Amino acid sequence: MAEWLAATGRSAAALQELGRRRPGCGLTRALAVLADSDALDDATLRDELVLAHRAATAAGAREQSLVYAIYLYTHRHYQATADHLVVHFAQFPADEIAGSMLGAFALAGPLEYREHGHVLAERQYALAGPESWPWASWLAGARAEQGRPDDAWALAEHALHLNPRSGPAAHARAHAEHDHGTGPAATAFIDTWLAADPHATQRRHLQWHAALQSIAAGDFADARRRADTELHHGDVGMRSATNWRLLLAGQTPARTADLDHIHRLLAEPGGWAEVFQTFQLALGLAVAADTDTLNALSRRAAGDPRPDYAEVLAPVTLALAHITAGRPQAAVDLLSALGERTERIGGVRVEREIIQDTLARALIDTGQPQRAAHLLRHRTTTRHHHTYEDLLLTPTRSSTASGE
């Protein structure tokens, strides 16, 4: 379980070994499904978890509750998962297996769920005690999301001291590094940490964080190298987020995601299952300057009954369409009107920051440097490396030539 909770390169093998040691264990079966859920179709998910729940019922209330949480989580019923976890923690305080599904609070949609998840992480860490590296790791992630990078760093370091292979702690530290703009120090940490476990579950995501820090420090060649060598065909969101940042800064992008693949993903139900996932696909369209599809996506989102799609995703996507069509003022109007509502796009702060980047570039391209500088002031005055932000605030040839 320690291997699985730490998301090490041995996670899959450790679960298989656990299954051999505990044949017929419903919870073990459910954990194997949780680990492979992205590769399983809905019918297989349901059948496996029904069998797991049946076996867990005989094992006791905790196991039964955990399998039900896994069922809800893997079926993307995130609000129901979060609600269930609140009840579960009341009965089984500081349960580490349940803690691995804390992401449900961020994915649930309403901001109050996200905030309650942070409070819950703090409470469970207090109950677990300071020697619990999993809860120290998860609270570090919560502190990073709350915009408290110093606290996140300290907790992540504490967790890594207790367990140097804690993937959640390394990830939380990467978020703190981002807010501090540590640049080469961040990439060195990630490279060193991954060298000891090259097959860590979070390898690609940590390499994406490293690419962002290379962009922050102006090492665009390294950012492109990491994107091209570490991110595979299915990493559309991370690849597109990297490339859109490079383009906003006036740099050559890395290898772009296949446009036909993005179109196929948007045509499938999964492409619209979560607002943040749809937003990431929109970034891929923006990188490809696919204005027509961005406009169509915006119209579809505007007619979606889910408020986050209609009220946030639709204008953000339309703003991207305006940027790709050379209409930055229209993008400024849309994104400025949204304000803090962009938080409802989902994802984490590092990922949502790209909307602010887009607004800053549009402000520069419309001749509003003071507004752009004010927008990014909290970053340029607190981050050690902010070459990226400096480039966002630099007029491009096209904006200079047009007199905007």
Side-chain angles (χ1 to χ4, degrees):
M1 287 309 305
E3 297 283 350
W4 184 76
L5 289 170
T8 71
R10 287 199 66 252
S11 294
L15 276 182
Q16 291 172 0
E17 183 178 345
L18 184 61
R20 287 192 295 270
R21 291 182 181 181
R22 302 179 66 188
C25 174
L27 179 56
T28 301
R29 186 172 195 153
L31 288 172
V33 172
L34 177 59
D36 295 332
S37 59
D38 289 340
L40 301 176
D41 58 62
D42 287 344
T44 304
L45 270 177
R46 183 184 183 282
D47 291 345
E48 285 293 311
L49 290 173
V50 166
L51 291 173
H53 192 264
R54 189 177 301 158
T57 301
R62 173 178 173 266
E63 288 78 2
Q64 185 178 1
S65 177
L66 284 169
V67 173
Y68 183 59
I70 291 171
Y71 181 92
L72 294 172
Y73 190 84
T74 55
H75 282 77
R76 297 180 177 178
H77 301 320
Y78 295 122
Q79 283 195 27
T81 306
D83 292 340
H84 178 73
L85 287 176
V86 170
V87 176
H88 181 89
F89 284 123
Q91 295 178 293
F92 309 102
D95 189 320
E96 292 176 346
I97 295 178
S100 68
M101 290 178 276
L102 282 174
F105 288 89
L107 294 167
L111 297 182
E112 54 265 28
Y113 271 85
R114 189 186 307 167
E115 293 163 359
H116 187 73
H118 299 159
V119 172
L120 188 146
E122 182 174 11
R123 185 181 306 138
Q124 299 306 307
Y125 175 60
L127 292 169
E131 296 306 306
S132 173
W133 62 264
W135 280 108
S137 302
W138 295 324
L139 182 56
R143 291 292 186 247
E145 187 63 7
Q146 290 174 317
R148 298 167 58 177
D150 291 339
D151 292 338
W153 185 297
L155 278 163
E157 286 296 284
H158 174 63
L160 288 168
H161 175 74
L162 296 171
N163 181 1
R165 303 317 313 155
S166 171
H171 185 205
R173 176 170 158 172
H175 278 252
E177 300 259 21
H178 184 88
D179 282 340
H180 284 308
T182 54
T187 58
F189 163 72
I190 290 171
D191 288 342
T192 301
W193 191 84
L194 286 174
D197 187 4
H199 303 292
T201 304
Q202 294 179 308
R203 179 186 179 92
R204 297 201 306 273
H205 190 71
L206 288 174
Q207 288 285 9
W208 176 72
H209 275 281
L212 295 193
Q213 283 306 294
S214 291
I215 291 174
D219 192 347
F220 304 112
D222 184 67
R224 288 189 288 267
R225 177 188 65 79
R226 291 178 190 271
D228 286 340
T229 59
E230 297 288 345
L231 303 182
H232 66 42
H233 179 71
D235 295 325
V236 174
M238 290 188 288
R239 182 177 294 280
S240 300
T242 303
N243 281 330
W244 187 240
R245 283 174 169 87
L246 287 167
L247 288 169
L248 290 175
Q251 305 300 310
T252 303
R255 186 173 63 250
T256 59
D258 180 69
L259 189 56
D260 288 339
H261 180 54
I262 297 174
H263 288 169
R264 285 194 298 273
L265 291 174
L266 282 170
E268 296 171 356
W272 287 80
E274 301 165 20
V275 64
F276 182 69
Q277 184 172 344
T278 314
F279 168 63
Q280 288 185 305
L281 296 177
L283 287 178
L285 298 174
V287 171
D290 189 351
T291 307
D292 290 343
T293 306
L294 281 168
N295 279 318
L297 193 157
S298 179
R299 289 192 296 271
R300 180 177 172 182
D304 197 288
R306 293 167 290 186
D308 291 344
Y309 282 77
E311 299 170 9
V312 183
L313 179 64
V316 167
T317 305
L318 184 56
L320 292 173
H322 286 312
I323 292 286
T324 61
R327 297 187 294 267
Q329 185 57 57
V332 167
D333 295 340
L334 285 164
L335 296 180
S336 297
L338 277 174
E340 293 184 357
R341 282 185 293 161
T342 55
E343 288 194 16
R344 290 165 50 193
I345 206 75
V348 294
R349 294 174 67 250
V350 174
E351 294 165 323
R352 293 190 299 272
E353 195 175 77
I354 202 167
I355 301 175
Q356 188 178 66
D357 302 345
T358 304
L359 175 56
R361 167 48 61 195
L363 285 167
I364 289 295
D365 289 347
T366 54
Q368 303 178 70
Q370 290 184 333
R371 283 186 63 190
H374 179 73
L375 184 70
L376 300 185
R377 186 176 182 279
H378 69 288
R379 288 153 59 173
T380 57
T381 56
T382 60
R383 295 184 176 177
H384 301 305
H385 291 273
H386 48 80
T387 299
Y388 171 60
E389 284 81 6
D390 291 342
L391 288 172
L392 288 178
L393 299 175
T394 302
T396 62
R397 291 182 181 180
S398 59
S399 62
T400 303
S402 65
E404 294 181 345

